[in-house]
Amino acid sequence: MTNQASPIAGFLRPLHSRDPDEHHRVATSLELLFDLVSVIAIASAAAGLHHAIAENHAAQGVITFAMAFFAIWWAWMNFTWFASAYDNDDVVYRLLTMVIMGGSLTMAAGIPALFTEEPDFTMVIFGYVIMRIAMIVLWLRAAYHDPNRRRTALAYAAGIFIAQLYWVAFLAVQPVSTGTAYAMFVIGAILEIAVPAIAEPLSANTPWHRHHIIERYGLLNIIVLGETLLSGSMALRQVAGHFDIMLVHTALSALVIVFALWWAYFARQEHLGSRKLSRSLLWGYGHFFIFASGAAVGAGFAALVDIITHHSEVPLLVGDYAVAIPVAIYYASLWFVRDRFACNGFSRYALLIFGLLGLVAPAIGLGLEGIAATTALGVIVRNSLAAHEESGDHIGH
């Protein structure tokens, strides 16, 4: 008599915690598909920022972009850390992940409505709540199958549920003034951010895989930097129709800057050298500014193309700063989450200094080329000094 696997075995398996020291743990094809869906929402938010800058509504556009990006990033981040700890790849897990993807697409469809004089949060909140309800189910599964971390898993589920009640209440009181809507959004964001900080210490920390998490964050960063490559391609398409040397400079500068940002992020130094809760929260949360600024660089280049081709009446200096400011934030954020821990000597501050120099470049007439030069020099100096300091430390020991 041959043993046959139960038909339900692949459909519903115990959601046991994974080994945080598992060898050769890499991103799954489902996680890559999840990232692909997320990039649609990111592109929608970046497009909204681009048009806000080009239409001379930069301040409101930045606020709205930050809100939209927070919703995208937070849902992505929560799923990513959960998957690192509990992904069992059964049918139910896959289906719930696809529900989260559907919520992300719904949210992406609603993002343009945020970039209006009277922001409409309906579609964004509706899509977001869909994503978070699926996460509640995943955490309840984890609570059932992982008794050592049951209190933490239940706290996650309860915290997410309370936050979603708040978002539904926010939706119910619309329309409200723009200022009130922004204030309510900040309160909701604080509720969401507080959940991991409260839940994790209640029992054993969730067993996320350090190298897997680092890889997942790196992959999203590559996707985010793709927004800048897209803007460079847009500049070259404009050149094909009507040659303008400024568009060529814009495309080349976009390439230099995106390559430098990539190189700065994927340096040899360890991104997350500790599983300590305070360190992992700081690193994980701090990446909001890395990801958001990376996408904003692309929006800045897109606005520059509009300015150069006379589709926008905004001064060129505004376009230059729409690139310089997010580049500086990107470098400062890398210092905050990695370099101040991983580097010694001057290399620790190199990105901070060159990010600030990039802010000075447009003001002294160096323009976009000056921003590109300081961005590239920042990563060259930082990496050269870090290698030299590490070599010196090695010899000293």
Side-chain angles (χ1 to χ4, degrees):
M1 193 173 171
T2 55
N3 292 328
Q4 292 185 347
S6 168
I8 202 172
F11 182 82
L12 184 64
R13 292 195 292 266
L15 198 71
H16 295 310
S17 60
R18 296 187 61 150
D19 180 3
D21 299 313
E22 179 181 343
H23 294 296
H24 310 299
R25 179 76 189 277
V26 295
T28 67
S29 57
L30 184 63
E31 288 175 318
L32 297 178
L33 181 61
F34 186 91
D35 290 353
L36 183 62
V37 171
S38 296
V39 75
I40 296 173
I42 292 171
S44 182
L49 178 60
H50 152 215
H51 293 302
I53 295 169
E55 294 165 8
N56 203 20
H57 301 299
Q60 182 180 351
V62 168
I63 294 171
T64 306
F65 171 78
M67 293 192 301
F69 201 93
F70 173 84
I72 300 163
W73 162 78
W74 188 249
W76 176 89
M77 192 180 90
N78 277 207
F79 170 78
T80 296
W81 288 75
F82 179 90
S84 186
Y86 289 105
D87 181 1
N88 71 344
D89 200 35
D90 67 6
V91 173
V92 173
Y93 178 87
R94 290 186 174 195
L95 291 176
L96 287 170
T97 303
M98 291 173 185
V99 170
I100 297 174
M101 293 181 199
S104 180
L105 290 173
T106 304
M107 194 163 57
I111 286 175
L114 296 180
F115 290 89
T116 58
E117 291 185 8
E118 296 182 0
D120 183 357
F121 290 84
T122 304
M123 286 286 283
V124 169
I125 291 179
F126 184 64
Y128 184 79
V129 171
I130 290 173
M131 300 174 79
R132 304 301 277 154
I133 288 174
M135 279 306 307
I136 292 171
V137 177
L138 286 170
W139 278 116
L140 289 175
R141 288 191 69 193
Y144 181 79
H145 293 288
D146 188 2
N148 292 333
R149 300 175 180 85
R150 184 162 294 156
R151 291 181 64 192
T152 291
L154 288 175
Y156 267 107
I160 294 171
F161 178 73
I162 291 168
Q164 300 330 293
L165 290 179
Y166 177 85
W167 292 122
V168 171
F170 180 11
L171 197 59
V173 300
Q174 288 196 95
V176 293
S177 68
T178 301
T180 302
Y182 290 166
M184 291 183 69
F185 190 93
V186 169
I187 293 171
I190 292 171
L191 282 175
E192 294 277 5
I193 287 173
V195 173
I198 294 171
E200 287 288 344
L202 293 178
S203 56
N205 290 349
T206 49
W208 47 273
H209 192 288
R210 189 169 62 89
H211 294 293
H212 176 245
I213 284 292
I214 292 171
E215 181 195 23
R216 297 292 295 117
Y217 271 63
L219 289 171
L220 185 65
N221 192 46
I222 290 172
I223 287 174
V224 161
L225 293 179
E227 290 296 319
T228 302
L229 292 176
L230 183 63
S231 299
S233 174
M234 184 191 308
L236 290 176
R237 284 202 303 270
Q238 295 289 336
V239 169
H242 175 70
F243 181 79
D244 187 328
I245 192 63
M246 289 184 68
L247 288 172
V248 176
H249 288 175
T250 300
L252 291 175
S253 296
L255 283 177
V256 170
I257 287 174
V258 76
F259 292 157
L261 296 182
W262 173 86
W263 211 313
Y265 187 90
F266 292 98
R268 295 183 181 277
Q269 287 69 33
E270 184 72 81
H271 252 280
L272 184 57
S274 168
R275 288 183 54 87
K276 188 178 178 182
L277 179 61
S278 59
R279 178 78 175 89
S280 58
L281 286 176
L282 183 148
W283 186 84
Y285 287 7
H287 266 73
F288 168 78
F289 299 99
I290 295 175
F291 294 149
S293 58
V297 171
F301 271 107
L304 265 174
V305 172
D306 281 354
I307 295 167
I308 293 168
T309 57
H310 308 293
H311 290 97
S312 170
E313 297 180 0
V314 172
L316 185 63
L317 186 64
V318 172
D320 288 342
Y321 272 108
V323 174
I325 292 172
V327 166
I329 293 172
Y330 186 99
Y331 270 4
S333 302
L334 268 177
W335 167 82
F336 182 75
V337 303
R338 186 195 63 198
D339 279 10
R340 66 194 181 106
F341 300 103
C343 296
N344 299 305
F346 183 75
S347 66
R348 178 182 297 176
Y349 306 102
L351 294 183
L352 271 179
I353 292 169
F354 280 92
L356 291 174
L357 290 175
L359 292 176
V360 174
I364 61 175
L366 297 179
L368 188 60
E369 291 80 359
I371 301 167
T374 54
T375 306
L377 282 172
V379 70
I380 292 169
V381 170
R382 183 254 180 225
N383 288 352
S384 298
L385 287 175
H388 178 73
E389 288 160 4
E390 287 180 358
S391 176
D393 289 345
H394 180 72
I395 293 172
H397 285 91

